[in-house]
Structure formats: structure tokens, C-alpha cells
Amino acid sequence: TTEIYTLSLHDALPICHVQFNFHSPDQLFTHPLQKYCRDKLAKPVVRHKLEEEEVRFEIEAVKHGDSTGMRVLFHQPGVHITVSTLHADAYGAVDLAVDKLKRKLADTEERRRALARRGPLPSLNDEAEDIFTEDEEEVLREMGALDAVLNL
């Protein structure tokens, strides 16, 4: 089942369109469970302000004995996150998947902020001053680490 879902603040102002694709060979995705998934998975999208990009979720669920296994794939240009859960209850599996997704989105956001703080790397050209003394450069070359250090 593929659904396009419009996220809104107080159902007045559309924020973004999120595509949800539900897959289950066991027909686990009842309408109430699909609604629960959409509502729960939409919250991190709004919280992390991902509205400027297209967001797509692939949600897969299968029965494993008495438990429900769920895999959620989050797709956004430049970001692909996969989380998997196993829980006795399908709703509990959704809750666990959302918690894992929130953590991974927070980690991704922190990495982006860290890269932005670092700023652009200085360009190395022929006129740039030496970074290492000749002795330091020779030691790094013998270790085979000079290229790795210069690429940091």
C-alpha cells in the first residue's frame, strides 16, 4: 500500500508531503495500524524540520512466531536510515522503531552541525606554507601516513 500523507500544523498549514509504503506478506497493516505508523513516524520529521525535502518511508512487517518484526527505511535526499525491531505487539514494534529513528535522526543532525562548524578546509597549493618540518614529514612518509594526515 502506498499513501501520500500531508503533515500539517493544527491541520491548517501544510508542512511537507511524506510518502508511506507499507509492505507485509502477513497482511499485518490494518487501517488502524497504518494510521498509528503514519502519526508516530511523522513526528520526528516535523521535529527535525525535514520539510524542505521529500521524505519517504518504507515500512515492512512480518510475523515471527508470536512476535512482529518490523523494518522501517527512511529516505530523504542524502539521508537513508534503516531501523529494525522485534516486539510481541505490532504497535510496540512501531514505538520501538520510532525511538530508534529519533536517535538516528538526532545523530545525523549532530554530524551535519559538526561538519558545518568545522567549515571549509583550507586549500593546499604550491604557495602554502609547510605544515610539517622535513623530519616530521620523513617520519610520516616512512610510516605510510603522510597522505592520510594531509587529507584530514
Side-chain angles (χ1 to χ4, degrees), residues 16-144:
C16 67
H17 296 283
V18 180
Q19 182 177 343
F20 293 89
N21 297 316
F22 297 95
H23 310 280
S24 176
D26 304 318
Q27 306 301 323
L28 292 173
F29 286 112
T30 61
H31 288 292
L33 183 58
Q34 286 182 19
K35 181 179 179 348
Y36 189 76
C37 284
R38 286 191 308 267
D39 292 346
K40 294 292 275 192
L41 290 168
K43 289 179 183 178
V45 171
V46 173
R47 183 180 183 283
H48 289 280
K49 298 177 179 77
L50 303 174
E51 59 269 10
E52 49 295 325
E53 302 287 344
E54 283 296 317
V55 176
R56 181 170 47 96
F57 285 99
E58 301 286 336
I59 305 111
E60 303 169 355
V62 294
K63 279 301 242 180
H64 291 286
D66 292 337
S67 299
T68 300
M70 188 167 291
R71 183 169 62 178
V72 176
L73 292 86
F74 170 86
H75 301 282
Q76 179 188 23
V79 179
H80 302 283
I81 297 173
T82 302
V83 296
S84 298
T85 63
L86 184 65
H87 196 274
D89 175 57
Y91 289 88
V94 171
D95 291 338
L96 286 173
V98 169
D99 289 343
K100 288 181 176 185
L101 179 65
K102 285 178 185 178
R103 284 194 300 272
K104 286 191 174 190
L105 283 171
D107 292 345
T108 300
E109 190 175 292
E110 180 56 35
R111 281 194 300 275
R112 282 184 176 172
R113 273 190 254 137
L115 287 172
R117 281 192 304 261
R118 204 182 299 165
L121 295 175
S123 64
L124 296 175
N125 56 37
D126 294 336
E127 298 173 10
E129 61 184 71
D130 285 338
I131 298 172
F132 303 108
T133 65
E134 287 182 26
D135 292 338
E136 291 171 327
E137 198 170 303
E138 182 61 33
V139 169
L140 287 169
R141 189 173 286 114
E142 288 173 8
M143 292 172 46

